[in-house]
Amino acid sequence: MRIGELAHRSDCDVETVRFYEREGLLDVPAREANGYRLYSEAHLVQLKFVRHCRSLGMGLPDVRILRSFQANPDLACDEINQLIDRQIERIHQQLDSLQLLERQLHKLRDTCHANRKAGQCGIMRNLARAAEGGDCSCHPPAATN
């Protein structure tokens, strides 16, 4: 199959296929006499594998590692387990960061409860004060030792 069909069957853009190919995440396809790439069902499986990993938030280096295990199925899977454990830890860190961000936004939102003009809005005042190097409600001053 040609690249357009591969992209269509994997529900992605042609540029995505080219990108993953450049990144070495897909096996190099054969070429037709006219130079067009010729992809197989194996390429479709590889592409779907990569896209599934990416949908789980995995970065290209981790996907590359998993693809190497896919190509070498007799290897022990300890490193795969560690890779997934690291991904889970990254997700926990992201959750913590998002919860902090949510708390900061609530603090900022709490500075304006009335329908005022923008010049009197507590949110705008906090944002402007922070832009000028001052303290704001959402980012309390750092504790000094």
Side-chain angles (χ1 to χ4, degrees):
M1 77 187 90
R2 290 197 175 158
I3 195 167
E5 182 182 349
L6 177 66
H8 177 75
R9 289 182 60 191
S10 63
D11 196 29
C12 69
D13 296 329
V14 167
E15 286 306 313
T16 302
V17 175
R18 288 186 180 125
F19 174 75
Y20 289 147
E21 189 178 328
R22 276 192 311 272
E23 289 294 317
L25 295 171
L26 298 177
D27 291 345
V28 177
R31 296 274 183 167
E32 294 179 349
N34 59 10
Y36 287 124
R37 294 173 178 94
L38 187 60
Y39 295 94
S40 66
E41 290 295 319
H43 288 101
L44 179 61
V45 171
Q46 292 168 10
L47 183 55
K48 286 182 175 185
F49 180 90
V50 169
R51 291 183 41 80
H52 189 178
C53 292
R54 297 289 289 145
S55 77
L56 294 170
M58 294 180 200
L60 295 180
D62 287 343
V63 176
R64 200 170 282 111
I65 290 168
L66 292 173
R67 281 283 294 125
S68 72
F69 278 98
Q70 189 181 36
N72 297 289
D74 292 333
L75 294 175
C77 70
D78 294 341
E79 188 178 348
I80 298 168
N81 292 326
Q82 292 169 4
L83 183 147
I84 296 301
D85 289 341
R86 288 190 305 270
Q87 181 64 10
I88 291 168
E89 181 56 34
R90 281 191 290 271
I91 297 301
H92 283 285
Q93 291 170 355
Q94 289 173 346
L95 286 170
D96 291 344
S97 294
L98 287 171
Q99 288 171 338
L100 173 61
L101 177 59
E102 180 185 26
R103 287 191 301 274
Q104 291 170 326
L105 288 170
H106 279 294
K107 286 180 183 179
L108 184 61
R109 178 62 181 93
D110 287 343
T111 64
C112 186
H113 292 287
N115 188 5
R116 299 180 179 160
K117 294 183 181 194
Q120 299 170 329
C121 176
I123 294 170
M124 292 302 293
R125 287 182 177 179
N126 268 281
L127 294 172
R129 202 168 33 247
E132 294 168 357
D135 294 335
C136 66
S137 296
C138 54
H139 292 90
T144 56
N145 293 336

